[in-house]
Amino acid sequence: MDILLIHPPVVKPSEPPAGPARLAGALREHGRSFMVVDANIEGLLYLLNGRADASDTWTRRAFLHVQDSLASLTSGRAFSNMDRYTQAVNGLNRILSFTSGKSGAHVSLNNYTQEAYSPVRSQDLVRAALEHENNVFYPYFGRRLLGILDKDEPSVVGFSLNYLSQAVTAFAMIGFLRKLHPGMKIVLGGGLVTSWINGQGWSNPFSGLVDELVAGKGEERIVSLAGARWSGVEPVPDYSPFLPYAYLSPRKVAPFSTSSGCYWAKCSFCPEKAEGTPYSPLPAGRALKDFGQLSALASPGLVHVCDNALSPALLKSMADREQATPWYGFARVTRSLADPDFCARLKRSGCVMLKLGIESGDQGVLDELGKGIRVEESINALRALHASGIAVYAYLLFGTPAEDYAAAGKTLEFTAEHSGFIGFLNLSVFNLPRGSSEAAALETYDFSEGDLSLYQGFVHPRGWERNLVRQFLDKEFRRHPAVARILRADPPFFTSNHAPFFVMNRLEYS
Ligand code: SF4
C-alpha cells in the first residue's frame, strides 16, 4: 500500500472527515493504493463499548443503554424530541467521561483534554508522542495500527489534524508508529497544521518525529508522496472508505468544500484574514457538477458545505438548480438573502439551514469589524429566510475591541426582537488572532504559555474585558427569555452538525 491516511480523535463523530475524503479522491483519481482509518469514530466507539465497571447509578445506567443511545441517534428517533436527544448524548458522554477519567484525560463527544499535555505547547505534544501508552486511546490504536502495518506495510502515513482536540492523540499515534518503525515516513497536514505554519515566527518543533508538515490543500503533495504525477485537476472527494462507519447521524452526511480561504476576507477578527489564506474557489459550474456527482456517488442524506462562506455566485447557482440532496452551510448576509423569492428558490434547491455570521446588533461594531453588512440587512435576511422555511444558525461575537457594554446590549435587543426568525444561536467570546492587523494596534500579552497558541490576550481599549463579557453573557444575555428559548433548541455537543436534522424532522423531509 502506498499511503495510510489517519483521522485522529476527537471531533464530533457525526460525519466523515472532509480533508481525508478529498485526499482519498485525489489518490483514487491517480490510481494509487491507499487506506483511510477514521480513528475518531473507531476510538470513540472503542471507549463507548468498554467495560461497564462503574459503581454510580448514572454511569451504570448509561452503560446499560449505550446501544439504545447509539441507535436512537443513527435511526433518527432521538431527533423527534430534544429531551430524548439530550438523554442519548448525555448518556454517551457520561461513558466517555467515566472511561477516559481513569487515564487522567477527559474525552467528550466533541473534545479531548488531558492536564499533562497541552495541545498548544509543542514540548507537550512531543512528550505525548514519547509517552503514547498514557493516551486513553492507546489500547485501541496500538492494536489497530499494528494490524495494519503487519498486513499492508504503507510507505507513508499521513495524519489530518484540524482541531486542537485531535492534537494530543495524533502525536501519541505518531510516537507509537515512530517507535515501531523508526524509518517510516510520517506526514502531518490539515487546518491546524496550516495555521501553525502560516503563523508568526513558525519554526518546526517536530523534526525527528514528523518528516513533513504540509500547509494548505494536501492533494497535490499526497499524490506525489504516493509516487504519481499530479494531473492538476481537482478531484471529487471519495467517501467510499467511510461507508462502513456508523456515524452518529440519522442520515449519511457528506462534507463538501467548493473553496478554500474566503471570498470576503475583510473581517478583522477572522483567522482566515490574519493567516492570509488566498481565496481559491472551484468555478460555480464545476462546484455544481461535483455536488451532483457527489450526490450520485455517495448518496448522502445531507450535504454539509464546509466553505468558510458560500460566495454569492455559488449561492445563485445553487438557487437555480433543481431540488436534489438537502444541504446546509455558512453564508455571509448579502442583499440576495433579503430577497424572499431568492430564499424560496434556495429552499427548493434543498437548503435546510444557513449558518450566518450576524456577529453584532450594533452598526458601529459591524463597521469597525469590516463585516460589510448593515443591521437592517441582517434583519431582512432573517425575515426572508424564516419565511422561506430555511432555518438560521446565527453566530454572535462578543468582546471585540470595537464593542462595549452598551453595544453588547444592542446585540441582546436585536436578538430578542428577532428571536422568532432565529433557529439556533452560537455565542463566542472574541479571541485576538496572533499576528492580525488588529493586534498591532492593541496592548497584547500571552494568555497561554503555549508556543503553538494561535491567539493572544489584549487589554480591551474600552475596558470591556473577557471576564465582564462572560458575566454579561451568563447573567444577562443567556437569561433573556427569548434568547434562552433559542439556546434550549441547540443540540448539546453536536450543535450545528445535528441542528439540520431537527429542522428536517420538523419539516418532514422525505
Ligand atoms: S466572512 Fe467569515 S470567513 Fe470570511 S472573512 Fe468574514 S468571518 Fe472570515
Side-chain angles (χ1 to χ4, degrees), residues 261-273 307-309 330-332 357 359 369-371:
C262 170
Y263 80 91
W264 177 251
K266 290 183 194 162
C267 303
S268 61
F269 57 88
C270 177
E272 288 300 323
K273 179 174 178 268
D307 297 28
N308 285 314
F330 238 120
R332 277 187 71 240
E359 318 301 0
L369 294 180
K371 279 301 290 182

Side-chain angles (χ1 to χ4, degrees), residues 76 79-80 249-254 300-304 323-328 347 350-353 389-391 424 491 496-510:
F79 294 85
S80 61
S249 287
R251 289 171 174 238
K252 231 193 300 169
V253 183
L302 180 70
V303 174
H304 172 191
Q323 147 105 44
T325 313
W327 63 274
Y328 75 102
K347 173 75 169 56
C351 181
V352 178
M353 181 179 94
I390 296 174
F424 308 92
S496 64
N497 295 69
H498 272 176
F501 297 118
F502 281 96
V503 179
M504 289 158 88
N505 222 20
R506 229 171 22 235
L507 301 177
E508 292 178 351
Y509 267 71
S510 56

Side-chain angles (χ1 to χ4, degrees), residues 150-446:
D150 279 353
K151 195 162 152 276
D152 296 297
E153 297 179 358
S155 44
V156 178
V157 180
F159 284 84
S160 173
L161 181 51
N162 289 292
Y163 299 99
L164 286 175
S165 54
Q166 295 177 288
V168 172
T169 305
F171 275 82
M173 295 174 97
I174 290 169
F176 173 74
L177 288 172
R178 254 301 154 251
K179 187 172 158 203
L180 217 59
H181 288 276
M184 171 174 277
K185 190 165 181 72
I186 297 178
V187 182
L188 194 54
L192 183 61
V193 176
T194 304
S195 298
W196 286 343
I197 295 175
N198 290 343
Q200 260 183 349
W202 164 253
S203 117
N204 180 8
F206 304 121
S207 55
L209 196 57
V210 179
D211 294 293
E212 195 174 324
L213 292 117
V214 180
K217 290 164 112 185
E219 287 93 319
E220 185 171 350
R221 185 63 193 133
I222 204 80
V223 163
S224 117
L225 285 165
R229 185 194 284 262
W230 173 243
S231 67
V233 181
E234 291 273 347
V236 182
D238 178 9
Y239 290 101
S240 57
F242 304 99
L243 292 178
Y245 292 118
Y247 291 103
L248 304 192
S249 287
R251 289 171 174 238
K252 231 193 300 169
V253 183
F256 173 62
S257 301
T258 75
S259 67
S260 53
C262 170
Y263 80 91
W264 177 251
K266 290 183 194 162
C267 303
S268 61
F269 57 88
C270 177
E272 288 300 323
K273 179 174 178 268
E275 289 171 23
T277 316
Y279 179 53
S280 164
L282 286 177
R286 166 75 204 272
L288 284 194
K289 189 162 156 256
D290 285 2
F291 197 102
Q293 209 172 331
L294 181 76
S295 304
L297 286 177
S299 45
L302 180 70
V303 174
H304 172 191
V305 185
C306 301
D307 297 28
N308 285 314
L310 281 148
S311 71
L314 182 66
L315 270 178
K316 185 175 174 315
S317 308
M318 296 287 267
D320 288 343
R321 79 195 184 117
E322 294 299 313
Q323 147 105 44
T325 313
W327 63 274
Y328 75 102
F330 238 120
R332 277 187 71 240
V333 169
T334 53
R335 288 221 179 100
S336 45
L337 289 185
D339 173 356
D341 288 342
F342 181 79
C343 292
R345 284 194 289 126
L346 214 50
K347 173 75 169 56
R348 278 198 297 275
S349 82
C351 181
V352 178
M353 181 179 94
L354 285 182
K355 303 201 274 180
L356 285 187
I358 303 271
E359 318 301 0
S360 174
D362 181 279
Q363 190 59 51
V365 171
L366 291 175
D367 292 345
E368 277 198 49
L369 294 180
K371 279 301 290 182
I373 55 174
R374 310 274 322 154
V375 174
E376 309 80 71
E377 285 169 348
S378 294
I379 296 169
N380 292 339
L382 288 176
R383 273 209 187 100
L385 287 165
H386 181 260
S388 71
I390 296 174
V392 170
Y393 204 117
Y395 285 67
L396 299 177
L397 184 62
F398 295 88
T400 57
E403 193 185 62
D404 57 14
Y405 175 73
K410 282 196 194 168
T411 307
L412 173 52
E413 266 169 43
F414 170 96
T415 313
E417 204 172 315
H418 305 101
S419 58
F421 308 134
I422 300 173
F424 308 92
L425 262 181
N426 176 288
L427 312 178
S428 298
V429 179
F430 173 69
N431 283 318
L432 180 68
R434 194 180 282 279
S436 61
S437 51
E438 288 226 315
L442 293 165
E443 189 184 329
T444 58
Y445 59 91
D446 288 340

Side-chain angles (χ1 to χ4, degrees), residues 46-47 99-107 112-117 124 126-142 168-169 171-173 175-176 179:
Y46 154 77
L47 292 185
T99 316
S100 57
K102 289 189 277 186
S103 341
H106 182 73
V107 174
Y112 180 107
T113 54
Q114 195 164 1
E115 214 175 302
Y117 308 100
D124 284 13
V126 172
R127 214 159 35 77
L130 293 172
E131 300 166 1
H132 49 264
E133 285 100 341
N134 290 349
N135 190 279
V136 66
F137 292 106
Y138 172 65
Y140 147 70
F141 70 69
V168 172
T169 305
F171 275 82
M173 295 174 97
F176 173 74
K179 187 172 158 203

